Amino acid sequence: MLTQAIKGVKDILPSDSAKWQRLEKTVRDLFSDYGFSEIRTPIIEHTVLFARSIGATSDIVEKEMYAFKDQGGDEITLRPEGTAGVVRAYTEHKLFASQPVTKVYYMGPMFRRERPQAGRLRQFHQIGVEAIGVSEPGIDVDVLAALTELFTRLDVHGVELHINSLGCRDCRALYKAALKDFLTRKIDSLCPDCQRRVDTNPLRALDCKSERCKAATSDAPMMSEYIDDNCRAHFESVKQGLDDLGIKYVVNPRMVRGLDYYTRTTFEMIAVDKKGAQNAVAAGGRYDGLVEEIGGPPTPGIGFAIGVERLLMMLPEAGKGASNPMVYIAAIGGEAERFGQKLANNLRKSGISAERDYSPGGLKNQMKKADRSGASLTVIIGEEEIASGAAILRDMKTREQSEVKLDKLAEEIRTRAKSL
Ligand code: HAM
């Protein structure tokens, strides 16, 4: 074999795509119920967009971006996430003027050069929403309601919604200074990454996975002690709104998120497995300064993205497999095959999926294939049937067979399909 797929980049085979399509359909219906329309932004953007919005000291920008110079010398990056591109599009097309409240959703591949493992890929997929233009806490509640409702509709359990407030730029600056002071005093107890980041991105020490940092920051000052009155009131209203809708959540003051654009409400939907290991299936938050950062007017925003591969691992298995045809046509002999080709085409044109064998063997062989295809009905037609003008129609579930006139076959199948 010349080469294989790139490490951490997966094919979605026909046996899996039905599951993806079901998820996508559920998501489209749900987002439409919550008032979001689809947006499709490019997979490549100018590198500066991500460097500025996600933050130069974030893990993504420091070490995970697929960034390259193209043939014309432009600095290009394969999008590592969807928010920056959506906000760029919102600003570039001046949606703040034509559609001040913009509620959009997107789905598609994202790229991060991470160490591949279960649930951590280099090309992965996100389904996300962004609501831009509303500062009131009601939109935070709506966005979180849509996220939790998705898990309900998909019948996925074992998740916890963790929320926190990171405050606004002003109160976070005070907090950052206090945290920096604290970490500087503990610098020798931190991991090398966090030691390096104390000056540039001290918050990351709070969600560092290393045991050293966990121990060293156990009594670190928390954002909640520094949050100003407006940000506190906003967070209280969000919690009140969630309580009013009966949405359960855990306030997690150590949740800081790895992207720099967040302000105020942040959250993660965490899957807790049987061994107690935690894994974010979805995450998001407010980014009230991002539109301005990208060159638009001061405009608030909030959204989330779901990791599709992680979510699919949690979906009940039901209905796995490639899509099944409604009818299998087992034709034996030249004339019967020609009839079969025409019948299949006729059925497909009226929206009935039909499958047949392109290099047909004997009847036994074709019946095996019909069985394996998962079809509900099978048409059996050979030279005898052509001669007598009637084919056999077999119900694959009940195994009942009946003779149907060739010119009535399509109509009979259409009638039966309605009740299947
Ligand atoms: P994020 O936390 O970087 O946020 O990613 C969101 C979700 O994408 C994660 O919770 C995870 O499920 C999935 N994910 C991330 N990296 C990988 C990977 N390498 N392999 C598989 N799944 C992965 C964002 O991307 C923000 N743009 C979310 C957002 C939208 N915030 C506001 N609006």
Side-chain angles (χ1 to χ4, degrees), residues 141 233-246 249:
V141 176
H234 184 97
F235 194 42
E236 289 306 317
S237 299
V238 173
K239 287 191 286 181
Q240 180 69 61
L242 294 176
D243 292 339
D244 290 346
L245 299 188
Y249 57 86

Side-chain angles (χ1 to χ4, degrees), residues 209-229:
K209 301 280 175 288
S210 104
E211 291 304 325
R212 288 170 67 174
C213 294
K214 277 188 197 160
T217 60
S218 62
D219 57 345
M222 288 289 124
M223 182 67 228
S224 49
E225 299 157 32
Y226 288 80
I227 197 167
D228 67 24
D229 288 347

Side-chain angles (χ1 to χ4, degrees), residues 11-134:
D11 298 305
I12 299 161
L13 297 174
S15 53
D16 287 327
S17 57
K19 215 171 171 180
W20 283 73
Q21 287 173 357
R22 263 200 312 279
L23 171 64
E24 286 161 7
K25 179 167 185 333
T26 307
V27 159
R28 286 182 193 284
D29 291 348
L30 177 126
F31 289 160
S32 153
D33 294 344
Y34 281 79
F36 292 86
S37 318
E38 187 176 11
I39 186 167
R40 301 186 190 196
T41 63
I43 285 173
I44 50 175
E45 297 273 2
H46 291 295
T47 299
V48 65
L49 175 69
F50 302 116
R52 280 289 283 282
S53 54
I54 300 172
T57 59
S58 64
D59 280 354
I60 297 178
V61 175
E62 268 191 348
K63 45 192 186 199
E64 294 169 1
M65 290 209 306
Y66 281 96
F68 58 96
K69 238 189 201 133
D70 75 3
Q71 316 292 41
D74 289 335
E75 300 281 355
I76 304 286
T77 292
L78 296 185
R79 62 182 186 192
E81 57 104 53
T83 311
V86 169
V87 172
R88 196 245 337 117
Y90 175 87
T91 309
E92 186 170 336
H93 300 286
K94 297 192 172 51
L95 297 189
F96 45 82
S98 59
Q99 205 182 325
V101 176
T102 295
K103 290 167 70 181
V104 292
Y105 76 88
Y106 52 88
M107 38 180 100
M110 308 291 162
F111 304 84
R112 296 184 193 176
R113 199 177 188 289
E114 298 202 68
R115 199 143 57 85
Q117 48 187 278
R120 195 172 292 283
L121 298 164
R122 290 181 171 176
Q123 175 176 326
F124 60 100
H125 294 74
Q126 284 187 343
I127 291 175
V129 309
E130 310 296 347
I132 309 177
V134 187

Side-chain angles (χ1 to χ4, degrees), residues 287-313:
Y287 42 85
D288 291 346
L290 189 53
V291 176
E292 201 175 0
E293 176 87 40
I294 287 174
T299 311
I302 181 167
F304 64 73
I306 302 162
V308 176
E309 285 82 357
R310 293 188 191 179
L311 178 59
L312 285 175
M313 287 195 285

Side-chain angles (χ1 to χ4, degrees), residues 327-330 367 370 375-380 392-396:
V327 185
Y328 196 92
I329 300 167
M367 289 312 291
S376 307
L377 298 168
T378 296
V379 174
I380 303 165
I392 296 167
L393 187 59
R394 179 180 169 92
D395 184 316
M396 299 300 279

